[in-house]
Amino acid sequence: MKNTKAIFIKQIRSLIKSPAMIGQGIFFAVVVLVMTFLMGPERECDVCIPAYVCETCLRENPLHSLPTPTIAGLFTVMFVGMALMSSSSGLVQEDKTTHNLRFMTMAGMKPFQYLVGTASALFIMTIPILFLFAMVGRYFGGDTLWFLIIATSGAIVSILFGIAMGLSKAPGLAYPISMIIGFGPMFSSFNENLARWMHFTYTQQINLGIYHLGKGEGGNLPRMFMILGVSAVVILLAFVWMHRKGELRW
């Protein structure tokens, strides 16, 4: 417990000292606010064109059946999938390059103590940013709570994924993977085959969850949380396997 608290405080200080993740989150939120203001309110299909045209589109063009992410949802997924995962991995890389990780191991720091302390620090710093996304995306009242539940669930998976990648033998893969899972949901709205493959990723499930929330629909929440849960379990199992000898990698 003492080691976990120590790494938690240390990582909080590191995140405040080098606020790249916080800066990215605020920047994305400002972009959402500006784009929402410039584009104005979204219009439903049955307002701009007759309903029978929509049915024809759905039948002849499968792309019309793919969910179009909202601006707030799009940048939330980019922040959770790309910025948060790369920042988590980068925080671990910083500990490696400064030899802090080596000193922690010599001081008796265990892998799960490091994981819990680092993940907790990142998670606490992430909650205000996601709340900001909810506000600029106009998710008020009960929608605010659901938005935070969906987004923070994905954030937990990204944080675990980033830390695991940072401690792996190939930490350099964290950035390209974060790009794929961060931008994938956006491109999947233009490609049916990509949407089919991305459906099983946790970032696409966040995208779908926020999309249905914006439409006032429940969506398939059990399936969403199942995929998020399975993703987290797989990452934790990989983490356990990497540190089966009980020592941190540096």
Side-chain angles (χ1 to χ4, degrees):
M1 186 65 182
K2 184 178 179 180
N3 287 341
T4 303
K5 182 180 179 180
I7 190 62
F8 171 80
I9 295 173
K10 181 266 175 190
Q11 301 297 37
I12 287 287
R13 290 174 177 172
S14 295
L15 290 168
I16 295 175
K17 185 178 179 180
S18 302
M21 182 191 76
I22 300 172
Q24 281 181 301
I26 295 174
F27 174 74
F28 285 165
V30 171
V31 171
V32 171
L33 188 62
V34 172
M35 291 183 66
T36 302
F37 176 77
L38 293 176
M39 296 178 65
E42 297 180 4
R43 295 184 299 175
E44 295 293 336
C45 185
D46 56 359
V47 174
C48 56
I49 55 178
Y52 71 85
V53 177
C54 293
E55 293 176 2
T56 302
C57 291
L58 287 172
R59 184 171 61 254
E60 296 181 357
N61 188 352
L63 293 180
H64 284 277
S65 62
L66 297 178
T68 302
T70 62
I71 298 173
L74 175 64
F75 280 91
T76 300
V77 171
M78 288 172 57
F79 172 74
V80 170
M82 182 183 69
L84 193 52
M85 180 183 169
S86 59
S87 295
S88 302
S89 177
L91 194 60
V92 177
Q93 285 295 98
E94 179 185 343
D95 286 337
K96 284 185 175 181
T97 55
T98 57
H99 300 290
N100 283 334
L101 202 61
R102 186 172 186 175
F103 295 143
M104 292 176 195
T105 303
M106 294 172 63
M109 178 77 70
K110 299 301 180 182
F112 267 99
Q113 292 175 333
Y114 181 84
L115 177 67
V116 173
T118 303
S120 299
L122 285 160
F123 182 72
I124 287 177
M125 299 295 285
T126 299
I127 293 176
I129 299 174
L130 295 178
F131 179 77
L132 181 61
F133 276 112
M135 293 299 98
V136 298
R138 301 174 184 174
Y139 293 92
F140 302 127
D143 287 347
T144 303
L145 179 60
W146 276 111
F147 182 95
L148 290 176
I149 291 174
I150 294 170
T152 54
S153 298
I156 292 172
V157 180
S158 271
I159 290 171
L160 294 176
F161 200 179
I163 295 173
M165 288 299 301
L167 291 171
S168 69
K169 293 182 178 180
L173 292 177
Y175 185 72
I177 292 176
S178 69
M179 292 284 287
I180 294 172
I181 63 176
F183 284 102
M186 177 182 68
F187 291 117
S188 67
S189 62
F190 309 114
N191 188 298
E192 186 183 15
N193 291 327
L194 179 60
R196 188 178 297 113
W197 285 102
M198 288 297 299
H199 182 79
F200 298 98
T201 62
Y202 69 95
T203 49
Q204 179 69 324
Q205 290 302 313
I206 300 170
N207 178 46
L208 293 173
I210 296 176
Y211 167 80
H212 289 297
L213 182 62
K215 297 295 182 181
E217 305 168 354
N220 196 341
L221 292 178
R223 181 180 181 84
M224 181 193 74
F225 287 118
M226 182 189 71
I227 292 177
L228 286 167
V230 169
S231 300
V233 169
V234 170
I235 294 168
L236 287 174
L237 289 176
F239 183 86
V240 171
W241 173 256
M242 287 191 303
H243 300 92
R244 59 190 180 277
K245 294 182 179 180
E247 294 182 355
L248 285 167
R249 293 176 176 271
W250 67 80

